[in-house]
Amino acid sequence: MLKKLKSAERLFLLIKKLFPFTASSSKGKILNEVQQLVNNDPRSWLDAISTWKNLLKLGVREELSQRDAKPPKRKMRENETIIAKKLKTEEIQKIEENHRECQLEEQTEDTLEQRDSTTRRDKLEKEEIQKEVEKAAGAHSQEDLTFRVSCRCTGTIGKVFTSQEVGRIIGIALMKQFGWKADLRNPNLEIFVHLNDIYTVAGIPMFRAPLASRTYIKTAGLRSTIAWAMASLAEIKVGTFVLDPMCGLGTILLEAAKEWPDGYYVGADVSDSQLLGAWDNLKAAGLNDKIELLKVSAIELPLPSESIDIIISDIPFGKKFKLGKDIKTILQEMERVLHVGGTIVLLLSKDHHRLLKDCGGSHMPLDSKGTHANEPGIKKCLNPEEKTDTSERVTSSYEAGNRECSDKMLPFGSLVPVECYEVSLGKTNAFICKYKKSSASGP
Amino acid sequence: MKLLTHNLLSSHVRGVGPRGFPLRLQATEVRVNPVEFNPDFVARMIPKVEWAALLEAADTLHLAEVPRAPTEGYEHDEDFLRKMHHVLLEVEVLEGTLQCPESGRLFPISRGIPNMLLNDEETET
């Protein structure tokens, strides 16, 4: 059930979280502090490990009954500004709640769900988890547990110690404290330790594979956690037409259709190979009936105006789409086909995002009233009252804006920004931006 | 390509504009797939359907039992909803063509995916 967390990358059971170690003290002192991590409070380690064992057992029982029960709806912190690559979350609280809920839900058994290819992969995972539980259960006394420490040292402390050094120290301390054996190849228990300038954290990973790798997606394009987060911002309801005009391998549509199966999903791409990949993904996930594919160019959508309710798209980064002309046309097309009141959620690179902001800013001096009301496209919190009388002003500032930003992106005539979040894609950052189409339409 | 999707598509050949809808459908390979019936979903689709286009497409495919128009109180008419469900979601055109009614331009459908790409001369500016 923890697998139902769709926006999280990896899940760890927290053992300890502390303030960062001060790197200014002597090496010996820091070594001491690292050892203290283990020795100071052995109880917390043992507690964490028994919770972990319990969760594993529960996990296996769940998998065995192939449940499709409603997960406790946990809003995976969409308001977090940075979703880090390895999301170490303080999950102990939630896990304990989960634990109790798991126990309650266990009473009701559900029917088996038939899903060909996903069952295969699920089965493999099931077996893995079963083996793990057996190992853990087999190690009924703490002494038999084999473990491995994975350590990451970055920031100032990373300059003093290498990750291996710290890992070794912790490993030795654990062996001394609890009598566990180290097994680097196939341990029962894996301990993750992360030392950096912000925190010192030790935790146990809950799953072998990161949560971001889904059983139902064969080949992922965009990171599935980001895709899910975008879909969840889009307000998909029963019977909404959802379009992804540059769907690639269809990751966004897959995540959306999986979580919100009541929409009508259409994906479009110009590339045959991408469409084939998307088709494979759809088939593997069993979602062919929910998602339709079109070979269509985003620069001109063969759709009547105002026919789509929601558009979710990952605007391609990089050199393929020249910033400027193409992007402008794509956005205009998106705006055209969208219903009034419809929603657009875009993943923008830093450059695109900056262009949007710059462009909006350039026609500020042309506004006679000197208010910011008719600036479509920048601020996060617009006053809804001011929007009602801006229909003419929007058009005029739009035209003026036209002259100002000839080779930049045009502000959207009627798209009102609602929210914007910065997210991390691993090596780079990007922005998830949500817009709504208001009733004022551009020229 | 399902008929619900066909109902959405319009030609974007230069100069054609709204006369590019609906696209004339010709099918050489059609498949009927069972799809899980969701009455809520179908009921919400009904107001969005362009009926003339749908009927034209359904006739070309020689589909039987196609309701000609929404009935009074269709949201609760399960028979009606089931028929619509079948027409909109269960009939899939795998191979065929779509034709722009104004310009005559043909768009092929292959493996269920319509190819609506135009070359540069044909596109709207």
Side-chain angles (χ1 to χ4, degrees), chain A residues 238-241 262-264 270 275-276 279 289 292-297 300 302-304 307-309, chain B residues 1-2 4-5 8-10 12 34-35 38 40-41 44-45 48 89 92 111 113-117 123-124:
Chain A
V238 180
T240 37
F241 275 124
D262 295 323
Y264 193 66
V270 291
L275 284 172
L276 271 175
W279 197 81
D289 290 322
E292 286 266 270
L293 294 175
L294 303 172
K295 188 165 175 190
V296 146
S297 166
E300 24 176 34
L303 299 165
S307 50
I308 304 284
D309 302 307
Chain B
M1 185 199 66
K2 297 184 203 286
L4 182 53
T5 309
L8 270 180
L9 293 172
S10 147
H12 50 298
V35 172
N38 181 344
D40 220 3
F41 178 83
R44 285 196 203 239
M45 282 301 165
K48 305 187 190 190
L89 301 172
E92 182 126 21
R111 296 180 59 146
I113 302 180
N115 178 348
M116 317 268 318
L117 293 177
T123 60
E124 314 240 27

Side-chain angles (χ1 to χ4, degrees), chain A residues 264-416:
Chain A
Y264 193 66
Y265 296 93
V266 178
D269 205 282
V270 291
S271 150
D272 273 328
S273 55
Q274 294 281 292
L275 284 172
L276 271 175
W279 197 81
D280 275 344
N281 273 341
L282 294 188
K283 194 143 180 258
L287 289 171
N288 312 58
D289 290 322
K290 295 237 158 286
I291 305 179
E292 286 266 270
L293 294 175
L294 303 172
K295 188 165 175 190
V296 146
S297 166
I299 301 181
E300 24 176 34
L301 296 169
L303 299 165
S305 304
E306 308 228 349
S307 50
I308 304 284
D309 302 307
I310 291 179
I311 296 182
I312 313 179
S313 189
D314 168 12
I315 304 281
F317 297 14
K319 321 269 188 315
K320 183 168 178 229
F321 277 75
K322 301 178 277 296
L323 295 179
K325 187 170 147 294
D326 275 349
I327 301 286
K328 180 177 89 182
T329 332
I330 292 173
L331 292 170
Q332 282 176 335
E333 274 292 279
M334 287 189 194
E335 193 196 340
R336 178 184 70 83
V337 301
L338 195 65
H339 264 141
V340 170
T343 312
I344 296 189
V345 180
L346 299 174
L347 185 67
L348 299 170
S349 69
K350 270 187 157 151
D351 290 332
H352 294 165
H353 185 67
R354 204 177 4 105
L355 268 183
L356 275 174
K357 287 167 95 169
D358 284 348
C359 205
S362 63
H363 59 71
M364 259 161 65
L366 303 163
D367 176 12
S368 50
K369 279 219 170 146
T371 59
H372 291 226
N374 31 334
E375 222 170 52
I378 314 188
K379 301 187 311 296
K380 293 182 203 176
C381 31
L382 290 163
N383 293 328
E385 306 87 32
E386 290 174 315
K387 276 287 146 206
T388 47
D389 62 343
T390 51
S391 27
E392 301 87 39
R393 272 184 275 148
V394 168
T395 10
S396 62
S397 62
Y398 185 51
E399 279 159 31
N402 237 330
R403 274 174 269 136
E404 284 280 341
C405 19
S406 43
D407 56 1
K408 284 188 192 175
M409 222 167 352
L410 284 183
F412 311 127
S414 60
L415 290 179
V416 174

Side-chain angles (χ1 to χ4, degrees), chain A residues 248-267:
Chain A
L249 293 168
T251 317
I252 299 179
L253 294 170
L254 280 166
E255 287 291 324
K258 194 82 183 174
E259 186 85 31
W260 296 274
D262 295 323
Y264 193 66
Y265 296 93
V266 178

Side-chain angles (χ1 to χ4, degrees), chain A residues 110-208:
Chain A
D110 275 29
T111 52
L112 272 162
E113 200 185 280
Q114 297 296 351
R115 250 191 206 200
D116 288 331
S117 38
T118 50
T119 338
R120 239 179 293 131
R121 202 165 154 183
D122 272 354
K123 271 210 187 114
L124 278 171
E125 293 208 8
K126 230 188 358 181
E127 280 160 16
E128 258 193 40
I129 297 185
Q130 250 180 323
K131 274 191 237 138
E132 258 178 71
V133 172
E134 278 161 16
K135 271 195 270 171
H140 41 256
S141 67
Q142 298 288 359
E143 279 78 50
D144 293 354
L145 213 52
T146 60
F147 77 103
R148 171 173 72 193
V149 176
S150 293
C151 187
R152 248 176 81 176
C153 283
T154 55
T156 35
I157 204 165
K159 300 198 176 84
V160 184
F161 287 106
T162 62
S163 309
Q164 291 97 318
E165 282 180 302
V166 182
R168 211 173 2 175
I169 298 167
I170 298 187
I172 295 176
L174 285 172
M175 282 199 283
K176 281 203 191 136
Q177 177 76 241
F178 301 114
W180 300 333
K181 296 199 181 56
D183 181 347
L184 291 174
R185 245 177 245 129
N186 211 9
N188 293 134
L189 174 66
E190 189 156 359
I191 312 248
F192 259 74
V193 180
H194 200 177
L195 300 176
N196 60 23
D197 291 334
I198 311 175
Y199 48 64
T200 300
V201 159
I204 307 175
M206 287 311 302
F207 302 106
R208 275 268 146 86

Side-chain angles (χ1 to χ4, degrees), chain A residues 64-82:
Chain A
L64 288 176
S65 68
Q66 292 262 11
R67 51 180 55 246
D68 208 333
K70 290 251 147 50
K73 283 295 183 209
R74 194 186 286 103
K75 278 277 164 211
M76 198 56 210
R77 302 208 217 125
E78 285 152 15
N79 298 324
E80 232 178 59
T81 41
I82 305 234

